[in-house]
Amino acid sequence: MRIGFIGLGVMGAPMALNLLKAGHTLTVHRVRERHQGLLEAGAVAADSPQEVAEKSQVIVLMLPDTPDVEKAVIGADGVLSGLQEGSLVIDMSSISPVVTKDVAASVRRAGGEYIDAPVSGGEAGAREGALTIFLGGSEAVVEEAMPLFQTLGKNITHMGEVGAGQATKVVNQIIVGLTIEAVAEGLSVAEASGIDAGKAREALSGGFASSRILEMHGQRMVNRTFDPGFRIRLHRKDLGLALAAAEHHGVELPGIEVVARQMDKALAKDWGELDHAALFRLIAERDV
């Protein structure tokens, strides 16, 4: 297929490369020096989202935040300006479920189809084509696009109509955020008690405390290696979406309010580009 890809970040670039490896023609936007490998593998650079849309049957977005998606799709020289009749826009960013429905409506009025497909799994999942993907869209459109999602992920679930994928991602980020904070607090107490944090992590992996977060992010904490991964500033953005959704639905999120404050402290220390496992430093390295 002729695929356009907008958003070549930490996760977007390896996702785009996996689509190339699967044999698709790829047009990409905002190519930087670090993306030369994509061009060498056969991707073609475009000067605008409009040009991406003009050359593509499917346009994939993997952008940092809600305003970025709005600008790329409905802004000047955006996707809608070049959208072909019957083309499919797939937004794999993590953005507001409310805005998702508005953007989807704009795409449909322009003659296209829309799926929201936010992901979980971090850089490793993107690189390995093993992402967890939450899909929102009509059953027929999702079924037609499923081979593309199977190139990018392993655990793929159709959650419902447009917006359902983003709502599920909000739930995911609530649980991930709380679990990272729990692992950070637990391993900090281990160190303070004179216990080897690495040994504690291994011991806990066999019981109810076991989790993917303990396995991967716990090891980052033990090693104190906090290269992203998934950046703190992006997870804090997602927690903002979670808190907004909770307020809209009249639900209280006391735990997430605490984690959001922790992330705000990290941002105040200019740690926004570190992996979210760096929350551990706030507790374990009190002199930082």
Side-chain angles (χ1 to χ4, degrees), residues 2-37:
R2 290 181 289 109
I3 300 176
F5 204 103
I6 301 172
L8 301 175
V10 170
M11 294 177 66
M15 291 166 68
L17 183 58
N18 284 337
L19 291 171
L20 272 174
K21 290 178 178 178
H24 300 289
T25 299
L26 199 67
T27 302
V28 294
H29 179 48
R30 289 188 177 175
V31 176
R32 305 286 190 260
E33 184 176 347
R34 65 181 181 273
H35 302 135
Q36 291 305 307

Side-chain angles (χ1 to χ4, degrees), residues 120 134 168-183 211 213 235 239 242 253 255-256 259 276:
S120 180
F134 315 112
T168 305
K169 179 60 186 288
V170 165
V171 174
N172 182 85
Q173 296 303 78
I174 290 171
I175 295 172
V176 170
L178 286 167
T179 307
I180 286 178
E181 179 67 19
V183 172
S211 70
I213 298 293
H235 200 158
L239 294 191
L253 299 180
I256 283 302
V259 179
H276 45 182

Side-chain angles (χ1 to χ4, degrees), residues 236-252:
R236 179 62 182 88
K237 176 265 298 183
D238 290 346
L239 294 191
L241 296 176
L243 290 166
E247 182 178 3
H248 177 77
H249 295 295
V251 177
E252 292 186 2

Side-chain angles (χ1 to χ4, degrees), residues 54-281:
E54 290 170 346
K55 295 180 177 180
S56 307
Q57 300 164 282
V58 177
I59 302 96
V60 179
L61 308 172
M62 188 62 181
L63 295 164
D65 205 347
T66 304
D68 301 301
V69 171
E70 291 180 295
K71 181 179 179 181
V73 178
I74 64 179
D77 298 323
V79 167
L80 289 188
S81 302
L83 192 69
Q84 307 299 302
E85 184 75 23
S87 292
L88 172 62
V89 177
I90 300 175
D91 183 20
M92 306 191 78
S93 321
S94 295
I95 70 168
S96 163
V98 175
V99 173
T100 288
K101 293 178 181 180
D102 293 338
V103 174
S106 296
V107 169
R108 286 169 173 164
R109 284 194 297 269
E113 297 287 353
Y114 193 96
I115 298 173
D116 57 301
V119 303
S120 180
E123 182 183 5
R127 187 174 59 250
E128 297 163 8
L131 292 167
T132 293
I133 308 176
F134 315 112
L135 304 178
S138 73
E139 187 171 347
V141 175
V142 166
E143 183 177 352
E144 186 175 354
M146 190 59 69
L148 290 181
F149 295 123
Q150 290 170 337
T151 297
L152 301 172
K154 298 297 184 186
N155 183 18
I156 305 163
T157 308
H158 183 198
M159 303 305 301
E161 293 300 316
V162 167
Q166 295 293 353
T168 305
K169 179 60 186 288
V170 165
V171 174
N172 182 85
Q173 296 303 78
I174 290 171
I175 295 172
V176 170
L178 286 167
T179 307
I180 286 178
E181 179 67 19
V183 172
E185 292 183 10
L187 293 184
S188 296
V189 170
E191 286 194 350
S193 303
I195 299 171
D196 181 273
K199 186 175 290 186
R201 172 188 161 277
E202 292 177 7
L204 296 172
S205 295
F208 279 171
S210 179
S211 70
R212 183 72 166 159
I213 298 293
L214 179 64
E215 176 189 347
M216 293 188 64
H217 292 80
Q219 191 62 56
R220 288 175 182 267
M221 295 173 192
V222 170
N223 295 339
R224 286 173 166 76
T225 54
F226 302 119
D227 297 334
F230 189 63
R231 290 172 171 81
I232 288 175
R233 65 176 175 83
L234 294 178
H235 200 158
R236 179 62 182 88
K237 176 265 298 183
D238 290 346
L239 294 191
L241 296 176
L243 290 166
E247 182 178 3
H248 177 77
H249 295 295
V251 177
E252 292 186 2
L253 299 180
I256 283 302
E257 290 176 358
V258 171
V259 179
R261 288 196 296 272
Q262 288 289 88
M263 290 188 177
D264 287 340
K265 291 179 184 178
L267 294 176
K269 294 177 178 290
D270 293 324
W271 294 355
E273 298 303 306
L274 297 181
D275 187 84
H276 45 182
L279 290 180
F280 174 73
R281 294 180 64 186

